[in-house]
Amino acid sequence: MSASVNSQIRLRLYRSLHTQPRHLFFCFLNPVFSLLFVFFLSPSFLRYPPSPVFPVVSVMVLSAANWHLLSRSAAWGQLLLRNGSVYTPASGFQEEEIREKLLAFPGGSVDLVKQESGIAVLTVNHPARMNAFSGSMMVELEERVSQLEGWMEGKGLIVQGAAGTFCSGSDLTAVRAISNPQDGVRMCMFMQNALTRLLRLPLFSVALVEGRALGGGAELTTACDFRLMAPGSVIQFVHKHMGLVPGWGGATRLVRIVGSQNALRMLGGALKVDPEMGLRIGLADGVLEGSQAGEESGACALLEAKQWLGRYTEGPAPVIRAIKAVVQSGRELPLEVSLRAERDVFGSLWGGPVNLQALVSKAKHK
């Protein structure tokens, strides 16, 4: 797969949504069938003939409904063309404005290390505040995601916290300073964009949860494909205690991971989810051994996470990235749109170097 395959797939999908003749055909044909039903099958209308205005209004309403469905499908294509962002200037989101306000609250860092193995490690690094996100760290997170979007050799990503704990959400210093609703919503939109793009990366991602993942830290874990929990670790959505609900997209993603009933229990009860409960409800995908202590424990946990992730990322980067792409399409897109996306990803690999080499070596039968 070439470096521009992802953008090519997005473009093909977008074009297909605007050039499907049958969409346009049914858009106008459906109101016609509806009117025939009204005039020939409805006794009440036979008994009391409608005003001549009624057919015109019916056509307008039904056509509008069909156009809405068509435009909704087209919107999926537009979404894929926006590099995974939910909010854009076209929707009234002024990213630079909130970025400047966030940068006024420095502290900590978000560190990224890309390895030759194709596995990157993203570290939330603010130990003095239990790795809480300062304003500048939120901006750094978005920048690191941008770097990963352009890393064509990448296959996997591990997200961890520094100094033996994952992340405690937002730094309250920044939160208090931007407590007005307008700035709060802008910050919410900024982080939703960053975490949605993180989840949509063409990389297999895993959150390595040591210590505590609280509030926004719990939301961050849901922006990864998998979650590995160390012994004694806890994931807790504490938003209720702050008089809030998740705002970084965590509630939406949580429902898709554990189901609505478990999500209600976790959010409504601010439940402390330990590794055992995490496995039971499907929030955790594995539990680390955790036989070491201190700094050695963190190094061993990272090594164990790399080995765990390596089971699924072994192989050529184009194929691994393509697998993530088709799964992500199936996770988010309507069936027909996802099928076309899968077709385009398949076509980008068929007859390519990796495919031809596999055919020669008869890799299917290994």
Side-chain angles (χ1 to χ4, degrees), residues 184-311:
V185 168
R186 292 189 187 102
M187 183 267 289
C188 162
M189 296 167 74
F190 183 88
M191 289 300 288
Q192 282 191 11
N193 267 359
L195 295 184
T196 301
R197 288 168 57 197
L198 175 64
L199 182 60
R200 288 175 175 168
L201 286 171
L203 311 172
F204 283 39
S205 58
V206 58
L208 171 54
V209 183
E210 298 179 276
R212 291 190 281 180
L214 307 178
E219 295 192 65
L220 176 59
T221 69
T222 67
C224 296
D225 300 311
F226 305 102
R227 282 147 295 282
L228 294 178
M229 298 184 70
S233 62
V234 168
I235 298 175
Q236 185 181 15
F237 288 79
V238 297
H239 305 76
K240 171 185 174 181
H241 298 323
M242 301 297 295
L244 293 169
V245 297
W248 296 357
T252 298
R253 293 187 296 268
L254 183 66
V255 170
R256 299 186 179 197
I257 296 168
V258 302
S260 59
Q261 290 179 308
N262 284 323
L264 283 170
R265 293 188 186 101
M266 289 178 63
L267 297 176
L271 299 184
K272 294 182 179 180
V273 179
D274 60 17
E276 181 182 355
M277 182 179 179
L279 286 174
R280 188 170 66 251
I281 65 176
L283 182 62
D285 298 280
V287 179
L288 304 180
E289 293 181 1
S291 58
Q292 302 294 326
E295 293 184 5
E296 290 185 1
S297 174
C300 290
L302 181 57
L303 178 60
E304 195 174 340
K306 289 178 180 178
Q307 292 172 344
W308 187 92
L309 187 58
R311 304 174 197 169

Side-chain angles (χ1 to χ4, degrees), residues 78-358:
Q78 293 172 341
L79 183 65
L80 293 179
L81 282 173
R82 294 201 298 253
N83 291 326
S85 294
V86 179
Y87 307 104
T88 66
S91 59
F93 177 54
Q94 303 300 322
E95 181 177 307
E96 289 305 317
E97 184 177 331
I98 187 62
R99 180 189 289 266
E100 288 182 11
K101 290 191 176 183
L102 290 173
L103 287 172
F105 305 98
S109 63
V110 178
D111 307 323
L112 178 63
V113 177
K114 302 174 188 174
Q115 300 175 344
E116 291 184 4
S117 63
I119 304 297
V121 179
L122 184 76
T123 304
V124 183
N125 191 353
H126 197 185
R129 298 294 179 89
M130 287 182 59
N131 296 329
F133 274 94
S134 66
S136 63
M137 288 173 68
M138 295 181 190
V139 175
E140 281 190 31
L141 175 66
E142 188 273 335
E143 292 172 348
R144 300 295 176 260
V145 171
S146 294
Q147 293 172 18
L148 289 167
E149 285 172 337
W151 186 37
M152 307 315 298
E153 298 79 20
K155 299 187 290 183
L157 171 68
I158 297 172
V159 179
Q160 66 172 4
T165 197
F166 189 73
C167 174
S168 60
S170 303
D171 187 342
L172 293 181
T173 302
V175 170
R176 293 189 189 99
I178 56 173
S179 60
N180 66 80
Q182 294 80 10
D183 285 342
V185 168
R186 292 189 187 102
M187 183 267 289
C188 162
M189 296 167 74
F190 183 88
M191 289 300 288
Q192 282 191 11
N193 267 359
L195 295 184
T196 301
R197 288 168 57 197
L198 175 64
L199 182 60
R200 288 175 175 168
L201 286 171
L203 311 172
F204 283 39
S205 58
V206 58
L208 171 54
V209 183
E210 298 179 276
R212 291 190 281 180
L214 307 178
E219 295 192 65
L220 176 59
T221 69
T222 67
C224 296
D225 300 311
F226 305 102
R227 282 147 295 282
L228 294 178
M229 298 184 70
S233 62
V234 168
I235 298 175
Q236 185 181 15
F237 288 79
V238 297
H239 305 76
K240 171 185 174 181
H241 298 323
M242 301 297 295
L244 293 169
V245 297
W248 296 357
T252 298
R253 293 187 296 268
L254 183 66
V255 170
R256 299 186 179 197
I257 296 168
V258 302
S260 59
Q261 290 179 308
N262 284 323
L264 283 170
R265 293 188 186 101
M266 289 178 63
L267 297 176
L271 299 184
K272 294 182 179 180
V273 179
D274 60 17
E276 181 182 355
M277 182 179 179
L279 286 174
R280 188 170 66 251
I281 65 176
L283 182 62
D285 298 280
V287 179
L288 304 180
E289 293 181 1
S291 58
Q292 302 294 326
E295 293 184 5
E296 290 185 1
S297 174
C300 290
L302 181 57
L303 178 60
E304 195 174 340
K306 289 178 180 178
Q307 292 172 344
W308 187 92
L309 187 58
R311 304 174 197 169
Y312 310 107
T313 58
E314 182 181 357
V319 177
I320 303 303
R321 296 167 68 86
I323 291 171
K324 174 63 183 284
V326 295
V327 171
Q328 188 65 26
S329 295
R331 181 158 52 190
E332 293 195 32
L333 302 181
L335 177 61
E336 290 190 8
V337 184
S338 179
L339 288 172
R340 287 195 288 272
E342 183 175 324
R343 173 203 64 197
D344 288 340
V345 175
F346 176 85
S348 70
L349 293 174
W350 182 266
V354 177
N355 176 229
L356 294 177
Q357 184 178 357

